[in-house]
Every structure is written in structure tokens, then in C-alpha cells.
Amino acid sequence: RDEAITSLEAKLSGSKTAENEANKRAEELQDKVSTLREAAAEMEDGLQLADAEASLAARECESLRADIERTDRLHEEELAARDGDLADRDEAITSLETELAGSKTA
């Protein structure tokens, strides 16, 4: 009977030790889960920030493209106006040359 009690006590002690180790391991795992959740939340915040920055950059890019297109149009209009001025000058020079040639023959 003493042997049976000693055996049961040893088993009980072993199971208490196993229970304590299991509880300790469960706490460690719970800590890891909490750490991972915190890291995931930080990553999510980082992703949201990156997404907002990407949206802002895209809007800035579109604004710059619009500015470039507007500048190109203005330059094209200015070049067309200069071409018109040059054509008018060429016409005036030709007219003066014609008049000059006419006055030399007269």
C-alpha cells in the first residue's frame, strides 16, 4: 500500500511538473502571439502610410504631367506665332526686294 501511495505521489508530482511546463509553454506562446499581433498591426500601419504616400505621389505626378502638357501647348503656340512673324517678315522682305528691283529698273 505504501508503494502504491508513493507511486501515485510520484505520478502526481510528475503530472504537476508536466502541467507547470505546459502552462509555462502556453504563456510563452501567448507572448509570441501578442508580439506577432503587435508586429502585424505596425506593418498594417506602415502599409496604410505607404498607400497614402503612393496616392499622394500619383496625384503629384498627374499634376506635373498636366503642367508639362500645358507648357508644351504654350510653347507650340509661341512657336506658331513666331513662325507667323517670320513668314510676315519674309513677305515684307520679298515685297521690299521687289520694290527695290522695280525702282532700279525705273
Side-chain angles (χ1 to χ4, degrees):
R1 175 180 157 118
D2 287 340
E3 260 181 53
I5 290 174
T6 303
S7 175
L8 286 174
E9 285 175 345
K11 285 181 181 177
L12 181 60
S13 176
S15 88
K16 287 280 186 189
T17 301
E19 181 183 356
N20 288 340
E21 288 176 9
N23 284 336
K24 183 179 175 184
R25 181 69 179 141
E27 286 177 23
E28 290 171 355
L29 291 173
Q30 187 59 44
D31 289 345
K32 284 184 180 181
V33 167
S34 295
T35 301
L36 290 172
R37 283 186 177 150
E38 289 171 10
E42 288 175 14
M43 290 175 141
E44 181 65 27
D45 291 345
L47 287 173
Q48 288 176 356
L49 179 60
D51 187 46
E53 289 173 348
S55 293
L56 178 61
R59 283 193 301 273
E60 287 177 5
C61 186
E62 288 202 17
S63 176
L64 288 172
R65 281 189 187 133
D67 288 347
I68 289 169
E69 288 175 5
R70 193 170 29 258
T71 301
D72 283 349
R73 271 194 312 275
L74 290 173
H75 286 160
E76 287 175 11
E77 290 172 4
E78 187 176 322
L79 288 174
R82 287 183 183 177
D83 284 346
D85 290 345
L86 289 175
D88 291 345
R89 286 181 194 166
D90 287 345
E91 188 177 310
I93 290 170
T94 303
S95 176
L96 288 173
E97 287 173 343
T98 304
E99 283 182 35
L100 185 58
S103 66
K104 284 184 181 179
T105 57

